[in-house]
Amino acid sequence: MACLLYVLVPSLIFIVGWLELRYAMILLVTMLAGLFFARESLGFAAPSALSKRVVLCCGLIAICWSLLGGAGHFFYANAFDWRIRDAVLRDLVVADWPVFYRGDSGATLLRAPLGYFLVAAGLGKLTSLRLADFWLFVWTWLGVWLTLMQVAACMKKPVAALIAVLVFMLFSGLDIAGLLLTSSAKLGDLFSVQHLEWWGQYFQYSSNATLLFWVPNHALPGWLLGLLLYRHFDKPVLLPWLGLMFFSSALWSPLVSIGLVGLQLAYMARQVSERWWRDGRIWFAWLAWVPGFLVLGTYLTYRSSSIASGWGWRMIPDPLRFWENYLLFVVLEFGLFAIALYRLRPRRLLLVLVAILLMLPLYSFGPNSDLAMRGSIPALAMLAMLSSAELIRFGRGWRWPRISWIAPLLLFLLIGAVTPLHEMARSLLTPRWRPDLVTNVFDASHGDASNYLAPVTDVKQVPFLKKR
């Protein structure tokens, strides 16, 4: 439940801090009803029996890994993403909620998935703007800690748990192979400021280290909820909590929510023998989150039509080039892993993951094919867990037929590990910079960031938000 609570808390803050009182009260009541019906139907999942030593190790590893990310600016933060992210945090601390920018051309609303920032921003309001970045680091560390404990909880022994954590941190597609095959890059470009993962040109599936260092706002909900589904995929205990999972992820990352839908549907189909549809409490537990999702959806999509979207092959001049890149991309990013894993142990979950990862790159949403990059996070987290599970299963007793496929899987993992090591080296070797405490989002984006800003004709007419 700690994972669900971590993802849900920002939505509670948003409801209380951003919405009119009447709407906030209605949503809080319906959410309490949803929690009640979920608890009454199937209850909570049993807590994992992790030893104190494993929990402590996960916490220490999480703090070291989080230090290398952008939150807190202890080491280099990738400026392309973190300058605008720092501005979002700054505005949430210094401005009244909801946040509007007023200029000569009218008003603009800060309309963005704010889940990652709201806890740190609230603590920043209570303390100071300078401390807000530290609170964001603490919040990130807590999320990473919960993630690594989820990874460890999938294994029975401490050594296996630590191996799974290591595999998860170093999991990535074969980006270095794709880069060498499609560009003039050389191995000498490793451990520089170059970004390895755009070799596919039109799409990207990010390594877990890249996600933490560049986009923890998308990574954390994707990891936590994806790993919850992985841990309980064969048990019905999560059925009444699916509505909460979908609702709470939306304010963090709507694109992650889209990626979760396919996994949730597969999970529901997996539990069909339980005849869960006959339990009215499960339906009420789901329906209770619909009003909240409608309110969040209205806010997140408010005047968002300016965001580029469409079928990928129709958005470029040369559709043939799209399909050539797509085929190589799916082979190197997950296809080789999937073949090895299927040969080792055929699983329906693996087929679901492959189907999702095949579909996501076909539709482009956002300036950088964001749907593929962010919607893939839960599925890739599960793929990492399947890989570590097979390595550990092999270690318990090997046979020659298994060696013929475990060796390629291990080779793919080692080649993929180049990308996260490259990301970590950049954080360590590139000079750090301090967060900008002056520039707001409107100025940082020059008023042209459709992912973050929405023009408003009258601030009093934005649905559901407090009137100012």
Side-chain angles (χ1 to χ4, degrees):
M1 288 306 297
C3 296
L4 291 178
L5 186 62
Y6 179 88
V7 182
L8 178 62
V9 164
S11 296
L12 298 177
I13 296 174
F14 178 84
I15 288 170
V16 173
W18 285 62
L19 303 186
E20 285 191 59
L21 180 60
R22 53 179 172 167
Y23 298 122
M25 293 300 295
I26 292 172
L27 293 190
L28 291 175
V29 170
T30 59
M31 291 165 66
L32 285 174
L35 294 173
F36 171 79
F37 283 115
R39 180 68 181 89
E40 287 298 307
S41 59
L42 293 176
F44 299 112
S48 58
L50 290 176
S51 67
K52 293 182 179 179
R53 184 177 299 178
V54 171
V55 171
L56 179 60
C57 285
C58 287
L60 293 175
I61 295 171
I63 200 170
C64 294
W65 201 24
S66 302
L67 282 169
L68 296 179
H73 289 260
F74 295 102
F75 293 91
Y76 175 74
N78 296 289
F80 182 82
D81 278 1
W82 275 98
R83 292 197 186 280
I84 191 75
R85 197 164 292 125
D86 289 340
V88 171
L89 180 62
R90 179 253 178 210
D91 292 354
L92 288 172
V93 174
V94 303
D96 294 331
W97 295 351
V99 179
F100 289 95
Y101 309 91
R102 290 176 171 83
D104 296 336
S105 58
T108 304
L109 169 68
L110 177 61
R111 187 260 299 125
L114 302 175
Y116 175 62
F117 305 95
L118 287 175
V119 171
L123 292 172
K125 283 181 176 290
L126 295 175
T127 54
S128 70
L129 175 60
R130 291 188 177 277
L131 281 176
D133 192 42
F134 171 75
W135 294 126
L136 190 64
F137 164 75
V138 173
W139 181 242
T140 304
W141 166 54
L142 179 59
V144 175
W145 191 0
L146 288 171
T147 297
L148 297 186
M149 285 195 293
Q150 284 262 71
V151 172
C154 296
M155 305 301 163
K156 295 180 179 179
K157 295 183 178 180
V159 173
L162 293 178
I163 291 173
V165 166
L166 181 63
V167 170
F168 185 84
M169 293 172 61
L170 297 178
F171 188 78
S172 172
L174 311 185
D175 299 304
I176 186 63
L179 193 68
L180 294 174
L181 287 172
T182 60
S183 74
S184 58
K186 301 177 181 178
L187 290 177
D189 295 325
L190 285 175
F191 311 127
S192 66
V193 296
Q194 181 172 344
H195 193 20
L196 302 183
E197 293 176 286
W198 272 116
W199 66 268
Q201 189 175 355
Y202 308 120
F203 5 73
Q204 176 193 142
Y205 281 165
S206 306
S207 72
N208 286 336
T210 302
L211 292 171
L212 178 61
F213 295 176
W214 290 74
V215 288
N217 48 318
H218 298 281
L220 292 172
W223 289 343
L224 290 169
L225 300 179
L227 292 172
L228 267 180
L229 286 170
Y230 175 81
R231 281 184 61 201
H232 302 289
F233 196 75
D234 295 322
K235 295 170 282 188
V237 70
L238 285 182
L239 281 170
W241 304 101
L242 295 181
L244 183 156
M245 293 169 68
F246 188 74
F247 164 79
S248 58
S249 65
L251 190 63
W252 286 76
S253 173
L255 300 179
V256 166
S257 299
I258 294 172
L260 278 172
V261 169
L263 296 172
Q264 290 185 324
L265 291 174
Y267 173 75
M268 292 164 62
R270 183 72 177 85
Q271 309 304 325
V272 69
S273 62
E274 300 291 331
R275 299 175 183 261
W276 51 263
W277 58 87
R278 294 183 176 182
D279 190 342
R281 294 168 299 182
I282 292 179
W283 290 100
F284 282 120
W286 292 349
L287 292 173
W289 300 97
V290 171
F293 183 76
L294 292 175
V295 171
L296 286 186
T298 300
Y299 165 73
L300 292 170
T301 59
Y302 184 76
R303 299 199 172 179
S304 61
S305 58
S306 58
I307 300 176
S309 62
W311 293 107
W313 62 88
R314 294 181 178 177
M315 299 183 69
I316 61 173
D318 186 0
L320 181 60
R321 181 68 180 274
F322 173 91
W323 290 110
E324 291 173 349
N325 283 24
Y326 171 80
L327 291 174
L328 184 60
F329 176 81
V330 298
V331 168
L332 294 182
E333 288 297 321
F334 66 91
L336 293 175
F337 288 96
I339 293 171
L341 289 170
Y342 192 80
R343 295 291 299 182
L344 287 165
R345 182 164 51 159
R347 297 180 63 168
R348 293 179 183 177
L349 176 58
L350 177 61
L351 297 179
V352 172
L353 300 182
V354 169
I356 291 173
L357 294 173
L358 282 172
M359 288 188 291
L360 285 173
L362 299 180
Y363 192 84
S364 177
F365 181 87
N368 298 302
S369 191
D370 298 83
L371 176 59
M373 286 195 291
R374 312 311 171 213
S376 62
I377 293 173
L380 290 173
M382 289 186 172
L383 194 64
M385 293 307 303
L386 290 177
S387 299
S388 60
E390 288 306 316
L391 286 180
I392 292 163
R393 192 162 76 100
F394 173 76
R396 291 201 297 262
W398 61 273
R399 292 177 299 163
W400 172 249
R402 287 181 51 75
I403 294 178
S404 62
W405 285 105
I406 205 72
L409 177 62
L410 182 58
L411 177 63
F412 301 151
L413 289 170
L414 291 174
I415 296 174
V418 170
T419 301
L421 292 174
H422 174 85
E423 292 291 328
M424 296 176 194
R426 185 198 297 117
S427 294
L428 290 168
L429 300 177
T430 308
R432 64 183 287 265
W433 49 276
R434 296 184 180 277
D436 184 353
L437 303 179
V438 177
T439 307
N440 62 28
V441 173
F442 189 85
D443 293 335
S445 64
H446 306 289
D448 186 28
S450 57
N451 287 6
Y452 290 90
L453 303 173
V456 177
T457 53
D458 185 350
V459 297
K460 295 183 179 181
Q461 294 182 355
V462 181
F464 305 116
L465 298 188
K466 290 178 178 178
K467 310 306 179 190
R468 291 176 44 200

